[in-house]
């Protein structure tokens, strides 16, 4: 059941005549069985446009990497934050995602007057906010945030693959592929697996 503060945020009227900077927010890593959920917030510079922004899932890894660097160089400001595996297991994935999003907004060097969030949920924020379904394909700032979040999480997976190569994090990026589930059955979970997720919980029981 959602808390009242989330309901209030979702139902708040949004007076778009309020001037000021607009931040786009998106996340990566809600569905995987391992690793943090990562969120990013981006305020773009209208005078320094970035060509080719799109939903990160529709871009090749190489294109995401190039845009990652361009966003970091050209945006007025940006911030990347996460909620840890421990926080995901303690709070649940929705609440942890909202936490990562709030941290990303709070980490911006400039304070936005408005925040546009991909999806249909809003974290508790002190400024005006709107949830936009499929916003990562509609709003440039959200597209930019989706790219920062996706690349950051993919790099996390590549890094942890070197520490736990048996699970294949560099390939499936933590998602519950057949390869990943087979590794869980064979080796049990590693410290970066989300034990509140059913396939991980099941493999943990099998390994104890």
């Amino acid at each position: 059941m959602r808390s009242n503060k989330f309901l209030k945020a979702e139902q708040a009227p949004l007076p778009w005549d309020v001037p000021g900077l607009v931040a786009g927010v998106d996340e990566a890593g809600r569905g995987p069985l391992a690793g943090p959920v990562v969120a990013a917030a981006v305020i773009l510079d209208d005078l320094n446009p970035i060509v080719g922004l799109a939903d990160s899932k529709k871009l090749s890894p190489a294109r995401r990497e190039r845009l990652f660097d361009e966003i970091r160089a050209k945006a007025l400001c940006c911030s990347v934050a996460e909620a840890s595996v421990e926080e995901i297991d303690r709070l649940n994935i929705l609440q942890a995602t909202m936490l990562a999003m709030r941290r990303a907004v709070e980490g911006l060097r400039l304070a936005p007057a408005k925040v546009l969030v991909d999806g249909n949920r809003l974290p508790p924020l002190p400024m005006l906010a709107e949830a936009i379904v499929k916003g990562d394909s509609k709003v440039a700032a959200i597209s930019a945030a989706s790219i920062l979040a996706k690349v950051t999480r993919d790099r996390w997976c590549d890094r942890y693959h070197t520490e736990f190569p048996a699970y294949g994090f560099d390939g499936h990026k933590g998602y519950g592929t057949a390869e990943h589930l087979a590794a869980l059955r064979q080796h049990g979970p590693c410290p970066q697996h989300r034990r509140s997720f059913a396939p991980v919980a099941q493999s943990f029981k099998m390994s104890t």
Side-chain angles (χ1 to χ4, degrees), residues 126-174:
M127 68 284 291
L128 295 172
E130 182 182 10
I132 301 179
V133 175
K134 297 185 179 179
D136 50 6
S137 62
K138 299 175 182 177
V139 179
I142 298 179
S143 299
S146 77
I147 292 166
L148 293 191
K150 172 66 173 167
V151 170
T152 299
R153 216 198 102 85
D154 283 357
R155 289 177 178 178
W156 179 96
C157 291
D158 292 341
R159 184 169 68 252
Y160 273 89
H161 174 71
T162 64
E163 187 172 351
F164 303 105
Y167 299 97
F169 288 138
D170 62 333
H172 53 63
K173 307 305 183 189

Side-chain angles (χ1 to χ4, degrees), residues 188-208:
C190 77
Q192 291 299 328
H193 277 102
R194 301 172 181 178
R195 302 195 179 199
S196 58
F197 280 41
V200 179
Q202 183 178 5
S203 71
F204 181 73
K205 291 178 181 178
M206 293 171 61
S207 64
T208 57

Side-chain angles (χ1 to χ4, degrees), residues 88-124:
I88 292 169
D89 286 341
R90 186 176 77 249
L91 299 172
N92 75 44
I93 186 59
L94 173 60
Q95 300 291 337
T97 301
M98 296 298 106
L99 177 61
M101 287 182 169
R102 178 171 60 80
R103 286 171 173 167
V105 174
E106 290 173 347
L108 289 169
R109 178 177 56 84
L110 303 172
K114 312 164 190 174
V115 175
L116 306 179
V117 180
D118 182 60
N120 60 3
R121 297 284 194 280
L122 289 173

